[in-house]
Short mmCIF file of all heavy atoms in Angstrom, two decimals:
data_model
loop_
_atom_site.label_atom_id
_atom_site.label_comp_id
_atom_site.label_asym_id
_atom_site.label_seq_id
_atom_site.Cartn_x
_atom_site.Cartn_y
_atom_site.Cartn_z
N GLN B 38 -3.33 5.68 17.71
CA GLN B 38 -1.92 6.05 17.83
C GLN B 38 -1.30 5.24 18.95
O GLN B 38 -1.68 5.39 20.12
CB GLN B 38 -1.77 7.55 18.09
CG GLN B 38 -0.34 8.03 18.11
CD GLN B 38 -0.22 9.52 18.38
OE1 GLN B 38 -1.00 10.10 19.14
NE2 GLN B 38 0.74 10.16 17.74
N TYR B 39 -0.34 4.42 18.60
CA TYR B 39 0.42 3.68 19.60
C TYR B 39 1.57 4.56 20.07
O TYR B 39 1.99 5.47 19.36
CB TYR B 39 0.90 2.36 19.02
CG TYR B 39 -0.24 1.45 18.64
CD1 TYR B 39 -0.67 1.35 17.31
CD2 TYR B 39 -0.92 0.70 19.60
CE1 TYR B 39 -1.73 0.54 16.96
CE2 TYR B 39 -1.98 -0.11 19.26
CZ TYR B 39 -2.40 -0.18 17.94
OH TYR B 39 -3.45 -0.96 17.59
N PRO B 40 2.11 4.29 21.24
CA PRO B 40 3.15 5.17 21.80
C PRO B 40 4.29 5.43 20.82
O PRO B 40 4.83 4.50 20.22
CB PRO B 40 3.63 4.39 23.03
CG PRO B 40 2.44 3.60 23.45
CD PRO B 40 1.75 3.20 22.17
N ASN B 41 4.60 6.70 20.67
CA ASN B 41 5.70 7.15 19.83
C ASN B 41 5.56 6.74 18.37
O ASN B 41 6.56 6.58 17.66
CB ASN B 41 7.04 6.64 20.37
CG ASN B 41 7.32 7.19 21.75
OD1 ASN B 41 7.18 8.38 21.99
ND2 ASN B 41 7.67 6.31 22.68
N GLN B 42 4.33 6.56 17.94
CA GLN B 42 4.10 6.20 16.55
C GLN B 42 3.14 7.19 15.89
O GLN B 42 2.66 8.13 16.52
CB GLN B 42 3.57 4.78 16.45
CG GLN B 42 4.58 3.72 16.87
CD GLN B 42 4.13 2.33 16.52
OE1 GLN B 42 3.35 2.12 15.58
NE2 GLN B 42 4.62 1.36 17.25
N GLY B 43 2.89 6.97 14.61
CA GLY B 43 2.04 7.87 13.85
C GLY B 43 0.57 7.54 13.99
O GLY B 43 0.16 6.77 14.86
N LEU B 44 -0.22 8.13 13.12
CA LEU B 44 -1.67 7.96 13.13
C LEU B 44 -2.07 6.88 12.14
O LEU B 44 -1.77 6.98 10.96
CB LEU B 44 -2.35 9.27 12.76
CG LEU B 44 -2.12 10.44 13.71
CD1 LEU B 44 -2.55 11.74 13.08
CD2 LEU B 44 -2.86 10.19 15.02
N GLN B 45 -2.77 5.89 12.63
CA GLN B 45 -3.24 4.82 11.77
C GLN B 45 -4.76 4.90 11.66
O GLN B 45 -5.46 4.95 12.67
CB GLN B 45 -2.83 3.46 12.35
CG GLN B 45 -3.24 2.28 11.48
CD GLN B 45 -2.83 0.95 12.07
OE1 GLN B 45 -2.37 0.87 13.20
NE2 GLN B 45 -2.97 -0.10 11.29
N LEU B 46 -5.25 4.92 10.44
CA LEU B 46 -6.69 5.01 10.22
C LEU B 46 -7.36 3.69 10.61
O LEU B 46 -7.00 2.62 10.10
CB LEU B 46 -6.98 5.34 8.76
CG LEU B 46 -8.46 5.45 8.37
CD1 LEU B 46 -9.11 6.65 9.07
CD2 LEU B 46 -8.61 5.57 6.86
N LEU B 47 -8.32 3.77 11.51
CA LEU B 47 -9.10 2.59 11.90
C LEU B 47 -10.29 2.40 10.98
O LEU B 47 -10.56 1.29 10.52
CB LEU B 47 -9.64 2.77 13.33
CG LEU B 47 -8.77 2.37 14.50
CD1 LEU B 47 -9.51 2.67 15.80
CD2 LEU B 47 -8.37 0.91 14.44
N LEU B 48 -11.02 3.48 10.77
CA LEU B 48 -12.21 3.43 9.92
C LEU B 48 -12.65 4.84 9.61
O LEU B 48 -12.21 5.79 10.25
CB LEU B 48 -13.35 2.64 10.60
CG LEU B 48 -13.69 2.99 12.04
CD1 LEU B 48 -14.54 4.22 12.15
CD2 LEU B 48 -14.42 1.80 12.70
N LYS B 49 -13.55 4.93 8.60
CA LYS B 49 -14.09 6.24 8.25
C LYS B 49 -15.50 6.10 7.72
O LYS B 49 -15.88 5.06 7.16
CB LYS B 49 -13.21 6.93 7.21
CG LYS B 49 -13.12 6.22 5.87
CD LYS B 49 -12.13 6.95 4.95
CE LYS B 49 -11.93 6.17 3.66
NZ LYS B 49 -10.84 6.76 2.83
N TYR B 50 -16.27 7.15 7.92
CA TYR B 50 -17.60 7.27 7.34
C TYR B 50 -17.60 8.48 6.42
O TYR B 50 -17.19 9.57 6.83
CB TYR B 50 -18.66 7.45 8.43
CG TYR B 50 -19.98 7.89 7.86
CD1 TYR B 50 -20.84 6.97 7.26
CD2 TYR B 50 -20.33 9.24 7.81
CE1 TYR B 50 -22.01 7.38 6.68
CE2 TYR B 50 -21.51 9.65 7.23
CZ TYR B 50 -22.35 8.72 6.66
OH TYR B 50 -23.52 9.13 6.06
N THR B 51 -18.08 8.26 5.20
CA THR B 51 -18.22 9.40 4.29
C THR B 51 -19.69 9.51 3.87
O THR B 51 -20.37 10.47 4.19
CB THR B 51 -17.31 9.26 3.07
OG1 THR B 51 -17.54 8.00 2.44
CG2 THR B 51 -15.85 9.32 3.50
N THR B 52 -20.18 8.54 3.15
CA THR B 52 -21.60 8.50 2.80
C THR B 52 -22.03 7.03 2.80
O THR B 52 -21.20 6.13 2.90
CB THR B 52 -21.85 9.09 1.40
OG1 THR B 52 -21.08 8.35 0.45
CG2 THR B 52 -21.48 10.55 1.32
N GLY B 53 -23.33 6.80 2.66
CA GLY B 53 -23.79 5.42 2.55
C GLY B 53 -24.08 4.79 3.89
O GLY B 53 -24.60 5.43 4.81
#
Side-chain angles (χ1 to χ4, degrees):
Chain B
Q38 185 180 35
Y39 297 99
N41 298 312
Q42 294 191 25
L44 297 166
Q45 183 180 8
L46 179 66
L47 274 179
L48 48 79
K49 63 184 175 188
Y50 167 80
T51 54
T52 58

